[in-house]
Structure formats: C-alpha cells, structure tokens
Amino acid sequence: MAINYNFLSLALIIFSTILHHCLSELCHPEDKKALLQIKKFFNTPNIFPSWDPKTGCCGWYGLTCDYKTHRVNDLFLNYADLAGPIPPQVGDLPYLETLMFHKNPNLTGPIPQSITKLKRLRILSITWTNLSGPIPDFIGEITTLDFLDLSFNKLTGPIPSSIGRLTKLTGLRLDRNQLTGPIPASFGDLTGDNFYLYLSHNQLSGKIPASVLKKDYTYMDLSRNKLEGDASLLFGSDKKNLEIVDLSRNLLEFDLSKVEFPKSLTYLDLNHNKIIGSLPVGLTELRLQLLNVSYNQLCGKIPVGGELQTRFDYSAYFHNRCLCGAPLPNCK
C-alpha cells in the first residue's frame, strides 16, 4: 500500500499544533503566573529552560500536577544552583503538597512567611543550603505537615515550641544546623506513628523533657549536642517500637543497669557521655547491628551472649571506669 507522505506530514503538523495547544491549556493560569514569577525572581533563565511561557506548566521540569485539576501539587527545585533567598511567590501555589529545595548551596536568607499560605502542604524539605536565621515561630501554622526537614543548613537560635502544634508530623529533621537552647517540651505533643526525630550536630542544651522521652519513636538521633540529665525514660519497655537510638557525645548521666530495652532495638550509640552502672543482661536478647557505650563511667562484667562478643570488638566498650570481660580484658 502506497503511503501519502504529504498527507502524513500535514496530519503530523496539525496534531503537533493541537497537542501544543492542549499542553498550553494543561496549566492553571494562576499557578503558571506564580511559577514564572519564581523563575524571574532567581534571574537565571538558563536554570529552567523548560519553563517556557508558551507551554503548559504541567510539562515543566521540577514539578508535578494533578492529572484532573492540572493544579501544581509538587515543586522539587533540587541541584538547581539557585542563588539568593527563597521567593515569596512559592506561597502563591495553593494546591502545593510538597515543597523541596535540596543541594542549592547558594540559597540564602530566612524561611519566607509566605509558606504559611500553603494550606495543603504535607512535605516541607529545605536541605543542604545556606539558609540562615532562626526557625520561625510561624512554622507551627502549617498544621497539614507530616514531614519537616530543615537539615544541613545554617539555622540558628532556639527551636520554636510552635512545632509541637504540627500534630500530624511523623518525621522531623533539624540536624546539622547551629541551633541552641533546649528541646521544647511541646515535642511530646507530636502524635504521629513510627515517628523519627533527628536533632544531631547542633548546640542544644539542658535536659530532655520527660514528655519527649516518653513518646514512642522509631528513630531518634540527638547526638553531638550538649544535652544533660537522665534519658533512660526513652527506652521504656517492649511496648515501644524503638529501633535506632544515637545519644552519643552529650553530657547525659543515668544508671544504665536499670534500663529495659525494647526488643525492636537494633542500633544503640551512647558513647562520650557520663553514664554509670553496668550493662544490663537484656542487651544479650537484642539483635543489635551497632552498639557503642565507650567513653562513659560504666563498671562490671560485660554480659555474655547475643551479639555482645561476636559482633562488637573492644572499641565498643573501652574507656569506661571499670568495665571488663570479653572483648575487654578479663575481670579481676
């Protein structure tokens, strides 16, 4: 059968024209306006070459749209070499559920208050930037959030207690900043299941509130701060789902021999604290992948069994007051 190439070419041109027109329409005009303002704000046209005002924004790089409403749901501005502050126009995308800036080292300035206009936002992730200033109190107004990640920035000052109002949170990362002051007691009001909390590599101080320690976490990393006092309430009993705990390099002081560990625990790092007592026999019943209790004030014989001798060498136990037994020297 002969092919009429002239007819086929004409059909393709007509189809392309119709498709281009359709794609142009697959974008809410207010969303498109906000996105083009964001592009203009950064003043680097070559960063978003696909953000062409002649095409529909739902086909642009770094975002997704709802396939029915064509409203922008997710904005991922990652590895984009963006410079300057976060544009206030991000708050003009009312259907946004995810807002993410990752690995933009030239992104600076504070967190803009305009994000409080995002009444559907579930994930806010601003990481590996040079964002500075305090974590603003208005962050607690975004009550739809279930994940907040502000790690690896240059944020300073205290953690606002208003974060405790984000009761839908299941994950909170504020690690690798320059935060100071105590952990807010309001963190105990965070009710999300399978919760994980990362506050490591800051300058947090004071005692960990009992309301925080009693909460059921899956992962907790408070390492490399200046926290003090008793953290034993964190462990509780088998009713907890605790899997990973890192409290290392703080000023914590409690009797480890009185602690009951949940069977779910697989990672326990307590090194460089002021912990006293002996290692409880309950540790032999755990399937630990990591254990480090070095540089404390522990005494007594290391219990025999489980993973305590087979998986971990002397470096997991050394520099204690009088801890002994394999893999350390024998007790006298």
Side-chain angles (χ1 to χ4, degrees):
M1 181 178 66
I3 299 175
N4 188 331
Y5 287 101
N6 289 331
F7 174 79
L8 182 60
S9 298
L10 179 62
L12 287 173
I13 291 171
I14 294 172
F15 176 75
S16 298
T17 303
I18 295 173
L19 180 62
H20 182 273
H21 176 73
C22 290
L23 287 176
S24 296
E25 296 302 318
L26 291 182
C27 181
H28 194 279
E30 291 300 317
D31 288 356
K32 187 173 185 177
K33 178 182 177 182
L35 291 167
L36 290 174
Q37 286 177 338
I38 290 171
K39 178 177 180 176
K40 182 179 180 181
F41 186 92
F42 283 120
N43 196 28
T44 46
N46 59 325
I47 288 181
F48 305 126
S50 67
W51 290 29
D52 184 345
K54 297 179 182 179
T55 63
C57 65
C58 291
W60 292 356
Y61 170 81
L63 58 89
T64 63
C65 293
D66 183 273
Y67 75 97
K68 290 183 178 179
T69 66
H70 309 137
R71 301 303 300 252
V72 176
N73 289 153
D74 308 295
L75 186 60
F76 305 92
L77 301 181
N78 304 333
Y79 302 95
D81 197 25
L82 303 175
I86 295 174
Q89 289 86 355
V90 295
D92 296 331
L93 297 166
Y95 285 78
L96 211 59
E97 296 180 6
T98 301
L99 177 60
M100 183 179 294
F101 292 87
H102 177 65
K103 288 278 187 177
N104 288 282
N106 295 317
L107 200 64
T108 58
I111 299 170
Q113 188 165 4
S114 61
I115 62 172
T116 59
K117 296 192 294 183
L118 302 174
K119 303 302 182 183
R120 292 175 171 81
L121 196 65
R122 297 178 57 242
I123 297 173
L124 176 60
S125 179
I126 307 173
T127 57
W128 293 86
T129 76
N130 271 302
L131 220 63
S132 60
I135 299 174
D137 191 64
F138 60 68
I139 207 84
E141 298 177 25
I142 316 173
T143 54
T144 51
L145 283 178
D146 55 37
F147 178 77
L148 175 60
D149 188 351
L150 301 176
S151 61
F152 290 87
N153 292 297
K154 291 186 177 179
L155 299 171
T156 56
I159 300 173
S161 61
S162 63
I163 290 180
R165 299 203 297 266
L166 306 179
T167 55
K168 294 183 179 180
L169 278 186
T170 57
L172 176 61
R173 292 198 61 167
L174 304 177
D175 48 302
R176 305 272 181 168
N177 281 287
Q178 300 167 22
L179 302 173
T180 55
I183 297 174
S186 62
F187 278 19
D189 299 330
L190 301 174
T191 57
D193 295 328
N194 299 316
F195 198 93
Y196 62 91
L197 177 66
Y198 290 81
L199 302 178
S200 70
H201 294 78
N202 281 291
Q203 300 170 35
L204 301 175
S205 58
K207 295 183 178 180
I208 306 172
S211 60
V212 176
L213 291 170
K214 289 179 181 179
K215 183 174 168 53
D216 190 7
Y217 299 91
T218 302
Y219 312 108
M220 174 182 269
D221 186 352
L222 306 181
S223 63
R224 294 179 183 268
N225 282 290
K226 300 176 182 178
L227 299 169
E228 58 188 39
D230 187 353
S232 61
L233 285 176
L234 172 65
F235 301 100
S237 66
D238 260 349
K239 294 181 180 179
K240 290 198 171 187
N241 297 304
L242 198 60
E243 294 180 17
I244 295 176
V245 176
D246 191 345
L247 302 177
S248 63
R249 295 181 182 271
N250 279 289
L251 303 170
L252 298 170
E253 187 173 359
F254 56 92
D255 188 343
L256 192 61
S257 61
K258 298 179 180 180
V259 172
E260 291 184 35
F261 295 101
K263 296 294 191 293
S264 55
L265 193 65
T266 61
Y267 183 114
L268 179 63
D269 195 344
L270 301 175
N271 80 80
H272 285 83
N273 278 287
K274 299 179 180 180
I275 300 170
I276 62 172
S278 59
L279 293 180
V281 175
L283 285 173
T284 63
E285 301 173 5
L286 305 179
R287 295 183 177 180
L288 292 170
Q289 302 299 311
L290 183 141
L291 173 68
N292 192 341
V293 294
S294 64
Y295 290 90
N296 279 289
Q297 299 176 27
L298 298 170
C299 277
K301 184 178 181 180
I302 298 172
V304 176
E307 310 282 353
L308 300 192
Q309 283 76 35
T310 57
R311 183 180 290 274
F312 311 112
D313 63 18
Y314 75 98
S315 63
Y317 305 101
F318 68 172
H319 287 282
N320 274 286
R321 179 179 293 171
C322 48
L323 205 58
C324 57
L328 295 179
N330 291 334
C331 300
K332 296 180 180 180

